[in-house]
Amino acid sequence: MAETTPVIKRRRGRGFDVRQQTGFTTIAMLCFVMLYAPILTLVVYSFNAGTSVAIWAGFSWRWYESAWANTQVQDASIRSLTIASFAAVLSTIVATMAALATTRTRNFPGLTFIYAFINQPLMVPEIVTGVALLIFFASIKVATGYTGLGYLLIAHTAFCIPFAYLPIRARLENMDLSLERAAADLYATPFQTFRRVTLPLLWPGILAGGMLAFVISLDDVVITELVKSGGQDTLPTYMLGQLRRVVTPEMNAISSVFLAISIVMVTIFFLLNRKKT
């Protein structure tokens, strides 16, 4: 009995390591291949000289040049970037205020409800939100006669708020309060404490929330398709319309450019966040 006791202790001390489970590496590699192989194929065929998206006809910049010269792509891209930038800035400001209001306060009845209320758009299917906004904005359009871009700006901002709120709130919850308390002990006003102490520490979370909101707005299709008026196509809705007609490598080229933009944004955020921490 005495000889088996150390063996039992060693077995208990080893713990559970998922990397040592049979087949884990194979499943992980298969998931990565299934996730990234289609993206890699899209990028490769964006340089296809032919018109087919499935038959390689040689290397060419033809479809990038075609997309760059396409006025519809230009208009849709500018509109997408405008809406995404506006939605990212405004939703990040609102999310920052909401995060401060829900973390820099004592617990009170209803705080859990506020958390759930802010994050509700994440739980509700996007088609439900889109239909609700369609009905709501349709009544306003009938009453006012206004059919401009403002509806898309409002819809994207409202939809992006919870996405910006999550990283900002997480950053606030992990921040050490001793510096803010020290500033208060030194007779700093709440605004001075926020500007000189809280905001510099919170900046990586704000950047993360803003970038996430920007990307979410940039690639939104469902809400945009239901809310937009005629002639207000964003790049995703334009691409969706083109895919219904004819598929050419030009769609691959546009997708590859936006993929590159996303990678650059993530890289910049990583470098900034590393410097801040």
Side-chain angles (χ1 to χ4, degrees):
M1 186 68 175
E3 295 179 355
T4 58
T5 302
V7 177
I8 296 175
K9 288 182 178 180
R10 285 196 298 269
R11 288 177 178 175
R12 290 178 178 176
R14 289 176 59 186
F16 176 77
D17 189 350
V18 68
R19 295 171 298 179
Q20 302 300 324
Q21 302 306 305
T22 304
F24 173 80
T25 302
T26 302
I27 295 174
M29 293 301 296
L30 181 62
C31 290
F32 278 112
V33 170
M34 294 177 63
L35 180 63
Y36 289 107
I39 298 177
L40 180 60
T41 303
L42 180 145
V43 174
V44 170
Y45 276 90
S46 68
F47 298 99
N48 188 10
T51 58
S52 174
V53 296
I55 301 176
W56 181 256
F59 181 88
S60 174
W61 293 94
R62 168 187 177 185
W63 299 109
Y64 286 91
E65 296 171 355
S66 174
W68 182 262
N70 190 329
T71 56
Q72 290 181 314
V73 173
Q74 294 174 8
D75 293 340
S77 299
I78 293 173
R79 190 174 296 112
S80 293
L81 293 173
T82 301
I83 295 173
S85 300
F86 180 90
V89 171
L90 191 56
S91 64
T92 302
I93 293 173
V94 175
T96 301
M97 294 189 293
L100 288 169
T102 53
T103 57
R104 293 300 184 264
T105 184
R106 296 179 180 178
N107 289 332
F108 59 88
L111 183 59
T112 303
F113 171 77
I114 293 175
Y115 285 147
F117 183 78
I118 295 175
N119 294 317
Q120 190 64 25
L122 300 176
M123 304 294 109
V124 176
E126 191 174 353
I127 185 65
V128 176
T129 304
V131 172
L133 290 172
L134 170 65
I135 297 172
F136 179 71
F137 288 143
S139 60
I140 298 178
K141 290 179 182 178
V142 172
T144 62
Y146 173 73
T147 58
L149 204 63
Y151 300 109
L152 279 176
L153 296 175
I154 295 173
H156 279 236
T157 299
F159 183 68
C160 289
I161 287 175
F163 292 95
Y165 172 79
L166 290 177
I168 296 174
R169 176 192 167 191
R171 182 75 179 183
L172 281 170
E173 289 181 338
N174 292 327
M175 283 170 52
D176 187 2
L177 296 178
S178 59
L179 295 176
E180 296 179 7
R181 291 168 180 167
D185 291 339
L186 294 173
Y187 303 102
T189 63
F191 178 74
Q192 289 175 330
T193 302
F194 172 75
R195 184 169 64 90
R196 296 182 178 275
V197 179
T198 307
L199 185 59
L201 295 174
L202 183 58
W203 193 242
I206 294 176
L207 281 177
M211 288 184 178
L212 183 59
F214 181 87
V215 172
I216 292 297
S217 174
L218 192 65
D219 67 358
D220 181 79
V221 175
V222 177
I223 291 178
T224 304
E225 188 70 26
L226 292 173
V227 173
K228 72 180 180 67
S229 301
Q232 294 180 355
D233 272 325
T234 60
L235 194 59
T237 59
Y238 167 78
M239 293 176 64
L240 180 63
Q242 291 299 110
L243 291 173
R244 292 170 179 169
R245 300 181 183 93
V246 59
V247 181
T248 66
E250 185 179 68
M251 297 298 102
N252 296 353
I254 298 171
S255 301
S256 299
V257 170
F258 271 79
L259 175 64
I261 293 174
S262 301
I263 293 174
V264 169
M265 290 182 62
V266 172
T267 303
I268 292 174
F269 167 71
F270 173 77
L271 295 175
L272 291 174
N273 192 40
R274 185 175 61 176
K275 291 180 181 180
K276 292 289 183 180
T277 54

